[in-house]
Amino acid sequence: MSSRFRRFLSSIRWSDLEQEMRGLSNYRLSCCVNTLLQTLSATWEVSDLLEKWEAAGVRADSHNVPLQLKRVLAAMRSDHLPQHVPHRDFLHCLDRNCVRLSVQHDADEVFLSILNFVQQQMDDRALALEIQNLYKISVETHLQCLECDSVQTRTSYLLSLHLHLKEDHNSLAGCISSFLEDQELRGIDRCFCAKCGIKTPSKQGVKLLSLPRILCVHLKRFRNSRGYTQKLDCQVTFPETFDFSEIAREGFATDFAQNECKYTLYAVVVHSGSAMCGHYTAYVRHRGNQGWYYADDSFIRQASWEDVQRTNGKYNRLKTKGDHVFATRAFQTFEQRKSILSVFSFNNKHLFA
């Protein structure tokens, strides 16, 4: 080893390199998956659980999505160079599971598909359920007949909150409140009432039974009209931290038992373009130094909270995480860009330690 190369090595601040994010090259229109991998890496609970998985007995590992996900997230956390993470095995694995390469995808749909593959393909059922529970939002839905006042209730769960947007200004708190408001169903939307024996006008509502550690929020920016899909460019404002109990306590069920409902934003997935085509990028909070970074495939740069806030005009999906987490993936709005995914993360036991 030459003396010049030794001096070069000694001049490198290796702690700084360890704090940097790893870029992901765009391989056959992989920008959508790239941004999801960045947000999954930022909310580290998934990779930590996958690391516990002993997958030695898994057959056909080239078709096993959770196994390939485990490997690529481990590579993204590695302290060793190269800076760009090899992730083609994961992309080809998704392709073998019908999430095709060279096709533009919706980030929310791919995210939910990955969670489904985890449930279907992990042989450790307990760990698979732990991963699902990171995102699980337990809800109680009720349907009240407006003719006889009879009420039908059932419990279920969601893996993300799908929030409707108005065509003017929106706020995250307002969208959540609207999601939890009762809705009247009349005309062609009437539901069958077993007591009346016919379809009747009714009132439908949702109550929250529990919130997840990682909350994913999908902002519904797309509208279908006369066979055409349009994308709303309306503004949506969001905070860096929020307390769910302060903005939507009326939406809690009577047996909602969680005391801590605070969330911190961890990622924002941004979609630039129209409803038919575009490009995904992301703002993510680094799991180590807690700084914001902007990820555009293999290009990575540091960002500020002000940069993230400037994306508040256009985004569709959010993500958050916490001890009893709230909802989605990541926030972003950036001038003429549309953010698709947002992440809040509530992890006050060790996040700011």
Side-chain angles (χ1 to χ4, degrees):
M1 185 183 296
S2 67
S3 59
R4 178 179 296 180
F5 187 60
R6 289 194 188 94
R7 288 195 298 272
F8 168 73
L9 290 178
S10 64
S11 67
I12 295 177
R13 296 177 60 185
W14 295 104
S15 60
D16 288 346
L17 289 177
E18 293 172 5
Q19 295 295 327
E20 292 181 357
M21 285 180 51
R22 301 300 172 86
L24 298 165
S25 61
N26 192 321
Y27 175 67
R28 295 174 61 181
L29 302 181
S30 68
C31 60
C32 174
V33 177
N34 290 353
T35 57
L36 292 177
L37 287 173
Q38 293 290 5
T39 60
L40 286 169
S41 180
T43 51
W44 57 87
E45 289 86 348
V46 173
S47 57
D48 286 350
L49 287 174
L50 287 173
E51 283 299 316
K52 297 178 182 179
W53 180 30
E54 298 293 339
V58 173
R59 296 180 179 179
D61 63 353
S62 63
H63 289 72
N64 191 283
V65 172
L67 179 59
Q68 295 300 330
L69 179 62
K70 173 183 177 178
R71 291 172 179 172
V72 72
L73 291 179
M76 294 177 71
R77 298 200 318 183
S78 173
D79 295 337
H80 305 291
L81 299 177
Q83 178 70 8
H84 299 160
V85 176
H87 63 310
R88 291 190 181 184
D89 286 346
F90 179 68
L91 296 173
H92 282 288
C93 182
L94 288 176
D95 184 70
R96 295 183 188 101
N97 285 273
C98 297
V99 181
R100 298 302 186 190
L101 288 165
S102 303
V103 175
Q104 296 199 59
H105 294 284
D106 176 79
D108 183 61
E109 292 180 358
V110 176
F111 166 67
L112 294 176
S113 295
I114 291 173
L115 292 184
N116 286 334
F117 293 141
V118 167
Q119 296 304 304
Q120 296 167 5
Q121 299 176 1
M122 282 186 70
D123 55 3
D124 188 328
R125 299 303 306 149
L127 272 180
L129 287 174
E130 280 193 65
I131 292 174
Q132 183 184 75
N133 288 338
L134 289 175
Y135 303 94
K136 188 174 180 178
I137 309 163
S138 296
V139 298
E140 177 185 82
T141 58
H142 61 266
L143 185 68
Q144 180 182 4
C145 174
L146 297 179
E147 298 290 342
C148 67
D149 290 331
S150 62
V151 178
Q152 304 175 56
T153 62
R154 69 181 180 93
T155 59
S156 59
Y157 69 88
L158 310 170
L159 295 176
S160 63
L161 288 181
H162 288 233
L163 304 182
H164 181 82
L165 297 182
K166 298 178 294 184
E167 295 190 8
D168 50 6
H169 176 79
N170 299 264
S171 68
L172 177 63
C175 291
I176 293 174
S177 297
S178 296
F179 174 81
L180 295 169
E181 289 178 353
D182 289 347
Q183 293 183 330
E184 287 196 3
L185 305 177
R186 298 181 179 274
I188 62 173
D189 296 323
R190 292 178 299 169
C191 295
F192 181 80
C193 174
K195 187 175 180 180
C196 297
I198 58 173
K199 289 185 176 181
T200 61
S202 57
K203 183 169 64 175
Q204 178 179 273
V206 177
K207 295 293 183 182
L208 297 171
L209 295 170
S210 66
L211 292 169
R213 182 175 184 83
I214 301 176
L215 177 67
C216 294
V217 178
H218 178 211
L219 302 181
K220 299 167 68 175
R221 284 194 174 273
F222 298 106
R223 297 286 188 273
N224 291 316
S225 176
R226 297 180 181 179
Y228 293 95
T229 301
Q230 298 178 327
K231 190 172 186 179
L232 299 181
D233 291 341
C234 51
Q235 184 180 35
V236 183
T237 57
F238 53 87
E240 192 170 15
T241 62
F242 76 96
D243 189 333
F244 209 109
S245 63
E246 292 180 356
I247 63 175
R249 180 169 290 278
E250 70 282 356
F252 292 170
T254 54
D255 52 352
F256 184 92
Q258 294 171 210
N259 295 320
E260 190 63 77
C261 304
K262 295 178 181 177
Y263 289 87
T264 300
L265 180 64
Y266 256 70
V268 178
V269 174
V270 180
H271 180 263
S272 307
S274 68
M276 303 308 296
C277 63
H279 178 62
Y280 280 98
T281 57
Y283 284 93
V284 298
R285 186 194 295 271
H286 193 280
R287 59 180 292 171
N289 61 28
Q290 295 301 305
W292 284 100
Y293 286 79
Y294 176 66
D296 183 353
D297 293 326
S298 58
F299 174 75
I300 304 291
R301 67 168 173 82
Q302 287 186 311
S304 65
W305 168 236
E306 288 71 27
D307 293 331
V308 182
Q309 286 180 299
R310 279 196 290 271
T311 68
N312 68 356
K314 290 96 180 172
Y315 76 102
N316 283 2
R317 178 182 171 86
L318 311 176
K319 176 181 176 178
T320 332
K321 71 172 187 175
D323 281 344
H324 309 286
V325 158
F326 159 61
T328 287
R329 276 225 178 285
F331 294 107
Q332 161 154 5
T333 46
F334 194 59
E335 297 179 353
Q336 295 307 310
R337 299 183 176 182
K338 286 82 173 169
S339 92
I340 299 299
L341 193 65
S342 299
V343 178
F344 276 105
S345 180
F346 157 55
N347 206 336
N348 59 7
K349 288 185 177 179
H350 56 77
L351 179 61
F352 301 109

